Amino acid sequence: MDTGFSGLLTATVFLPAAGAVFILLLVRGDRNIRVVAAMVAVADLVLTLLVFGLFSRGDDAARFQFIDQFTWIPGETLRANYLLGVDGLSAPLVALTGILGLCAVLASWRIETRVREHFVWLLVLQTAVMGVFSSLDLLLFFLFWELELVPMYMLISIWGTGRKEYSAMKFLMFTILGSAFMLVAIVAVFLTPDVGTFDMRALSTQGTMLGAGVLLPLGALFWLFFIGFAIKLPVWPLHTWLPDAHTNAPTAASVMLAGVLLKMGGYGLLRINVGMFPAQAQQFAWALVTLGVISVLYGAVVTLRQTDLKRLIAYSSVSHMGLVLVGIGSIGVTHGALTSAGLNGAAMQLFTHGTITGLLFLGAGLVYDKTHTRYIPDLGGLAGRMPLVAAGLLIAGFASLGLPGLSGFVSEVLVFLGAFRAYPWPTALAVFGIVLAAGYILWMMERAFFGVRRDRFADISDASLIEALPMAILVITIVGVGIYPSILTDVFEFGLSPIVALIPVGLP
Amino acid sequence: MTLYDLYLISPQLAVASTGILVILLDLVFQRKGFLPYAAFAGLLVSLTFLVIQSVDLAGAVNLVDAVDSGAAGVLAGSLAVDRFSLFFNYLVLAALGLVTLASVDYVRRIERFRGEYFGLLLFSATGMMLLASATELITIYISLELTTLPLAALSAFLMTSKSSEAGMKFLIIGAISSAVMLYGMALIYGFTGSTQLDEIAVVVTSAAALDLPFGGYALLVGVVLMLVGFGFKISSVPFQMWVPDIYEGAPAPVVAFLSVASKAAAVAVLIRVLFTGFFPIALDWASLITVLAAASMTLGNLAAMGQSNIRRLFGYSTIAHAGYILVGIAAGVRTSGSVTGGPEFVSLGLNSVLFYLAAYAAANLTAFFAIIAVSQRTGSDLIEDYGGLVRRAPFLAVALTLALVALIGVPPTSIFIAKLVIFSAAVKSGLVWLAILGVINSVVSAYYYVRIVRVMFLEPPQEQEASGISPVAWFALTVSGVAMIGIGIAPGFVLRAAEIAVGALML
């Protein structure tokens, strides 16, 4: 297995945190703080694009690359490594974090209260998420997973709106509860007599070696991990923290929350639940698909009833993240060869939903900033007043409902292609969720942006350059991936094909 | 008594004589400002002896047995100077040193008795260090009393009604529990004919134990009665009634010392008694420890939720942490699935306990030093008076936040690793349910710890206040804070030290 220390990933992960410390201690003046934070975010984006661009796509693409490793905790008791590395599954997600990290910093430009703290927390959050996507040691993974809690709690509870403290606490308690289950599972895996390692590469390639002398049944481990990730994703019925957190979070926090934090759950499901417990994943695929379809439909139906712009987007996230589960459930194929289409769709959905929902929240945040309301019936005719924002939201909306040529289409098609072979009827039901998506997106657009122009919005300005910039970045990503999806699907394939190879075919 | 015997207890002697010296200096000199530094210097002397002993111990297991003449020294059988006792001696000394520095500001409000304050702290520390080394029941009892009595006096030091109540409660409940413990010791002496743990172990192991009037149960009664005394010291349920009142009323540095060092020393002696003296009947006492652990964690955390005084809250939180520590002790015994049918020793369990104590010491001292500094500024311990602390004293607020995050058990802090190891040990020993209960308890505890963070960061600031904090107190806060994060990020050193210390118990 690869060892060594290339340093690129370490720099990528810790640059934002270093920037945060720099801002905390040395930068004076709100304006300077914003500029430094933006520079750090740009630099980190460049690093993540380097990771993505330099990722070897040759014959050896299916391995972990840019390994940074040294012994973290020596001795017999814990034996953990500082071990970073990316494969085809995580490299695009690292890039996604870089993109959305910059967008979140730019979206915070207008923050006036406690500016320093805001950017410090935002940058620490970025380090935590990057760390989750690039850790290959379970203990380190868990460390970064928990590190994300405090910044997010602060971002929601200080700069949020409405019942912000309640929402922040709810977010915190749900996530801690989920990670508690995960921790038990991590410990049990490590203590299994034949394992004794936190190295996720070894745990994944050995996959089935977890058979002998387990402390807990493998099925139990699978579900312990699942609960942790399902709360984050979120999966019905563990989703109730999400609408509250999103509705009351400031724009930048919403972008990070929907854009990358939810993806940590999906990533964990793919990397750990499928990658380390392939047999159990296949055995319980029916349950994943069932929960996924319920999430898709329930989320979509509830979304239709929402009157708060951000709450609407939040519930649509529940629906769209349900598709990730449906895609993962595709491994429950009982006859015929298993292809990676479903898993690839699930991974694609993580990326595309990150950009699309990020864009939706940026737009919604701007609408709220200008009109001071998120209540959809109060809005109307905004397209004429703020054409840029309307255009951005329209593109995000179309991508969200799966319009061909935009990124959302690719992931949805792949998910359905994969899942239909395994579970035709549930998949057909999930497709219905897309129909509903068209309904709530178009209805929302019609009520908020078209229709009667209201006089009290007469003097509303459109997005300024600094506000339009993050939207432009995301629009380019969405259109780019929509037109040339294989830039991502090929890379995801490198990461997912070894995982697919682990799954036993022909089980009952 | 030879010179070698004196050398064996030189760290304890150094601390005790420093205590006497500080009181004498207090009598002689008018200006008292230097007293804490004199006490600190005495600790450095003790530390030097400890280091010498550590080096001396290189190959041997126990310095007391290493006397090369045929006749054993006078201390043989009653004290052990091994890696295990050294681990705790270092821990107690470190805690005492930091608490001494953190007291520099605090003692200004007890102008008349500064010498006695530091003297009593040092005497109590002597007791704790002896407790960590004691291997004989009477020595254990004396050391325990030497630990408790000065602390009772210190608790009443402020001479406010709350402080006096705290001292009184501590004294009375302490006296009752040590009387019960003494009864247990008498029973054990009666049944085994010895007060030395190694000789007791021989009797317990041999079939002779079965010829006793009530068989193994008689011994068990003795063990349970002794547990009362230890349970009082480590503040576990159901011997926890004194904790909240003392945490609220006693001087804050004393509470910090009590919560960290006293707990550690009591755990040390608990481990030594149970694991070296009574391991063959571990099947019986381990299940009892399990129940105490579950009850302490759960009750401590539930009761902490409703508190409005931060020190009272920490009182309940320390009960919960005693529960986590007991989980580790229970995990030292695998009761099911062993080959022999008897109890099986799991070293990971005790490793985790020692590591937890060090990690908890760093985190709790950080928290308390911050609390001391805040109450120095505001004169209040109510959580609501922490409002807007981040604006008034950002570094204090950040330090306290980190400590609270650590106490929840969130990485990258010391207690995260500690809880990880403790729960690992529990899973390994077949106590999966206890591990899950512990994890759920950690989640519950997040609620009340985060509430304090919320107040500090979100509530509007209170009025400005003047009095600052001395650099020495900052130094103590920084050292414990760095230790807290350092142990969390690079736990290897302390983990290794804990492994070596437990290895010295030779089971």
Side-chain angles (χ1 to χ4, degrees), chain A residues 16-255:
Chain A
V21 172
F22 182 70
I23 289 175
L24 188 65
L25 298 178
L26 294 175
V27 185
R28 293 282 171 268
D30 289 352
R31 195 181 152 66
N32 295 341
I33 289 171
R34 291 190 188 101
V35 173
V36 172
M39 278 160 49
V40 170
V42 170
D44 205 43
L45 174 60
V46 171
L47 285 177
T48 59
L49 293 181
L50 271 181
V51 170
F52 184 73
L54 295 177
F55 185 84
S56 164
R57 291 165 172 77
D59 296 336
D60 54 350
R63 67 188 169 84
F64 287 92
Q65 307 183 10
F66 307 111
I67 296 288
D68 286 349
Q69 182 174 20
F70 59 80
T71 304
W72 172 28
I73 308 176
E76 287 303 297
T77 316
L78 280 179
R79 248 199 331 266
N81 287 311
Y82 172 86
L83 176 55
L84 297 184
V86 290
D87 67 348
L89 175 56
S90 43
L93 296 175
V94 168
L96 175 72
T97 311
I99 294 171
L100 287 172
L102 177 59
C103 292
V105 167
L106 294 176
S108 319
W109 214 256
R110 298 247 175 256
I111 295 276
E112 294 295 342
T113 50
R114 299 164 84 166
V115 177
R116 182 192 310 273
E117 283 173 68
H118 183 92
F119 285 101
V120 165
W121 289 127
L122 208 52
L123 290 173
V124 171
L125 180 66
Q126 194 175 337
T127 283
V129 180
M130 292 268 189
V132 167
F133 288 140
S134 42
S135 296
L136 293 179
D137 182 282
L138 268 183
L139 199 59
L140 192 66
F141 173 87
F142 187 78
L143 189 147
F144 282 117
W145 181 278
E146 294 283 277
L147 187 62
E148 150 267 323
L149 283 177
V150 177
M152 201 40 151
Y153 172 81
M154 292 295 179
L155 285 172
I156 297 176
S157 60
I158 298 180
W159 294 274
T161 53
R163 299 168 75 196
K164 52 188 182 180
E165 293 179 20
Y166 165 82
S167 302
M169 188 57 109
K170 196 168 175 184
F171 159 80
L172 190 77
M173 295 311 289
F174 264 82
T175 312
I176 289 195
L177 185 70
S179 45
F181 285 106
M182 198 159 75
L183 184 60
V184 172
I186 290 176
V187 166
V189 167
F190 175 73
L191 290 175
T192 301
D194 299 340
V195 179
T197 178
F198 289 114
D199 190 333
M200 290 158 79
R201 298 174 297 178
L203 290 169
S204 184
T205 47
Q206 293 172 14
T208 45
M209 59 78 210
L210 285 165
V214 283
L215 287 161
L216 290 174
L218 289 179
L221 290 176
F222 177 87
W223 286 107
L224 284 172
F225 276 116
F226 180 83
I227 292 173
F229 299 133
I231 287 178
K232 203 82 198 169
L233 192 56
V235 177
W236 178 92
L238 302 170
H239 66 279
T240 59
W241 62 272
L242 181 88
D244 286 322
H246 266 317
T247 310
N248 298 326
T251 305
S254 288
V255 170

Side-chain angles (χ1 to χ4, degrees), chain B residues 39 72 91 141 183 195 200 205 273 298 349 377 382 453 505:
Chain B
L91 189 59
Y141 179 74
Y183 186 55
T195 57
I200 291 174
T205 316
V273 168
T298 313
R377 287 174 169 229
L382 294 181
V453 176
L505 285 181

